[in-house]
Amino acid sequence: AALAREGSVKAGRGNELTPAAVLIPLIMYQNELKILLTQRTAHLHDHPGQISFPGGRSDPEDTSAIDTALREAEEELNIPPARVEVIGVADTYYSGSGYSIAPVVGIIPPDLELQPNPQEVEDWFEVPLAFLLDPANSIKKETNWNGQQRSYYDMQWGERRIWGVTAGIIANLVRRLA
């Protein structure tokens, strides 16, 4: 198991990482593949207002990362697990805040009636996969966080800023697909 860098662990205990999973929902239209993203509500304690994939911490009853991702997608957007065609699990993403995040890639039908949970999701939107695959749309930036220099990816889709963990997961997926 990978260990987080000293000073970066917040969620886990000591050097343990907290397991989490996200669903990367792909939507296939006739001529285009899109990825669904959410905007978190502004009142949330962690990452308020940020763009994210549906997901969260693993619960004790979750038997796998796939269970976690599907449960969270249902809680956040009312996506029925039976309507997700899971393709697989992408490379684990280790966040600076102490999470080990398993990105679960799945296809959802374009005709699903999404119902955002107002406690967690302010809005949702779709981004063409072609936009995310274009390296010109992803800028690598640096910042000082908790006394350490950190790099992160930043993408601008219209008025929406996709950055941090979500952009990092996308960058990992893009590298894998390249």
Side-chain angles (χ1 to χ4, degrees):
L3 299 179
R5 285 177 246 144
E6 184 178 345
S8 67
V9 176
K10 183 161 88 179
R13 287 181 232 136
N15 280 337
E16 293 178 31
L17 297 174
T18 300
V22 297
L23 178 65
I24 300 177
L26 300 173
I27 305 168
M28 180 72 76
Y29 292 97
Q30 282 187 329
N31 300 321
E32 189 172 37
L33 191 59
K34 294 186 177 186
I35 289 183
L36 183 141
L37 292 162
T38 67
Q39 181 172 346
R40 297 168 56 83
T41 57
H43 73 271
L44 289 174
H45 179 265
D46 293 326
H47 312 290
Q50 289 186 10
I51 303 303
S52 66
F53 291 111
R57 291 182 192 187
S58 296
D59 282 352
E61 63 272 9
D62 295 337
T63 60
S64 69
I66 293 171
D67 284 352
T68 300
L70 294 178
R71 175 184 53 75
E72 288 283 344
E74 186 172 33
E75 288 174 9
E76 294 178 18
L77 291 169
N78 199 36
I79 296 174
R83 301 288 312 267
V84 180
E85 181 186 335
V86 174
I87 296 172
V89 181
D91 297 332
T92 301
Y93 185 90
Y94 301 99
S95 75
S97 56
Y99 288 92
S100 170
I101 304 167
V104 176
V105 181
I107 298 173
I108 63 171
D111 62 347
L112 275 183
E113 288 190 34
L114 302 177
Q115 298 171 354
N117 176 343
Q119 297 300 316
E120 298 186 47
V121 177
E122 184 174 308
D123 197 10
W124 62 271
F125 60 100
E126 299 170 2
V127 179
L129 183 60
F131 173 86
L132 298 172
L133 290 175
D134 185 345
N137 296 323
S138 181
I139 300 167
K140 194 167 188 179
K141 296 183 176 182
E142 290 197 4
T143 189
N144 191 308
W145 186 71
N146 286 345
Q148 294 183 3
Q149 199 66 13
R150 301 283 178 136
S151 61
Y152 64 95
Y153 289 95
D154 200 315
M155 304 170 179
Q156 194 69 38
W157 171 251
E159 297 296 314
R160 311 225 192 223
R161 180 179 180 220
I162 306 165
W163 68 284
V165 170
T166 302
I169 290 170
I170 293 169
N172 283 350
L173 189 60
V174 167
R175 276 194 295 277
R176 179 68 100 128
L177 293 173

